[in-house]
Amino acid sequence: RFVAGFIGSPAMNFTTVRIEDLHGALWARNDGLRIQIPAEIAGRLRSCAGVEVTMGIRPEDLNMTSPDDAGPLCLDGVVEVVEKLGSEILIDMQVGTGTMVAAVDPDVRAKRGARLQFGLNPGGLHFFDGTDEVAI
C-alpha cells in the first residue's frame, strides 16, 4: 500500500471496506459504498470474507456513468471540488464517510454539491491487507 500510495499523481484512492460473501458473490462494503468484487479478483479475496481490508483505485479508473447505467461496480459521490487542468478534470468527492478523486475528460460538467455516479474499472481495483498493508 505504501508504494501504491506515492506512485502516480493524483495519488491512489484508499478506503477501508469489509469483504462480505453474499450468496457466493463477494462484495466490498462500508458506509456509502457497496461494490461487487469481479470474479477475476474474488478468488484471492475469498479468505478475507468478514474481514476489513483496504481497497485502492486510481483516479483514472473512476469513470462517470449515468444513473441508468448503475451496476455492481458503481459508486455515488457528492462533488466537493472541481479542478480543471486542461487535459483532464479532477473531481474531489465525498463517497460515504470518505473522499475520493476522479480524473475525468475535460468536457465533463460538474458543480460543487452535485451527486454523480462513477463506474469502477475492474482491472484498476487493488486490495491490501488491513494489518500489514501487503497486496492481496
Side-chain angles (χ1 to χ4, degrees), residues 90-112:
L90 299 182
I91 298 176
D92 291 43
M93 61 187 158
Q94 185 76 33
V95 178
T97 58
T99 59
M100 288 193 179
V101 176
V104 299
D105 291 330
D107 59 342
V108 167
R109 301 290 175 245
K111 292 185 177 184
R112 188 169 193 261

Side-chain angles (χ1 to χ4, degrees), residues 1-31:
R1 178 175 184 242
F2 174 75
V3 173
F6 75 80
I7 292 177
S9 179
M12 181 180 280
N13 296 296
F14 294 109
T15 188
T16 301
V17 295
R18 177 173 291 281
I19 304 298
E20 296 181 354
D21 186 342
L22 300 172
H23 310 291
L26 288 185
W27 293 80
R29 297 183 70 167
N30 67 19
D31 292 337

